[in-house]
């Protein structure tokens, strides 16, 4: 756990998604948060991509990740 290429990796992004700071459904597949925490059940604090605006994800610094994943259309309309 730590920093890799100016990005935080490890448990902190998972916890931040668990508490609604980052979108819960940003990652997909076997390594997704749903698989890592609570056997697929999001926390009551979890927020999903459609709960965030483009401005919010820009401020969080994850807009390029969402663009790369082709998921901009899932964001909440401002």
């Amino acid at each position: 756990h730590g920093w890799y290429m100016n990005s935080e990796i490890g448990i902190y992004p998972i916890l931040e998604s668990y508490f609604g700071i980052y979108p819960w459904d940003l990652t997909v597949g076997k390594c997704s948060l749903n698989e890592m925490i609570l056997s697929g059940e999001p926390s009551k604090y979890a927020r999903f991509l459609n709960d965030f605006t483009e401005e919010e994800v820009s401020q969080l610094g994850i807009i390029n990740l969402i663009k790369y994943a082709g998921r901009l259309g899932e964001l909440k309309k401002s």
Side-chain angles (χ1 to χ4, degrees):
H1 304 296
W3 289 84
Y4 176 73
M5 297 183 70
N6 296 324
S7 294
E8 190 174 20
I9 60 171
I11 192 69
Y12 294 112
I14 296 168
L15 288 174
E16 290 166 336
S17 293
Y18 182 85
F19 289 107
I21 297 168
Y22 287 110
W24 178 267
D25 56 345
L26 185 57
T27 58
V28 295
K30 290 186 178 183
C31 292
S32 73
L33 294 171
N34 291 349
E35 295 292 325
M36 293 181 194
I37 301 176
L38 300 176
S39 302
E41 294 295 323
S43 76
K44 65 181 179 180
Y45 307 106
R47 294 170 63 204
F48 298 88
L49 278 172
N50 62 7
D51 294 320
F52 289 83
T53 64
E54 190 169 333
E55 181 179 338
E56 286 177 297
V57 295
S58 291
Q59 291 172 351
L60 289 170
I62 58 174
I63 187 72
N64 288 333
L65 178 61
I66 294 169
K67 285 180 183 177
Y68 179 76
R71 299 182 71 185
L72 277 177
E74 296 178 47
L75 295 171
K76 180 169 67 175
K77 305 299 181 226
S78 321

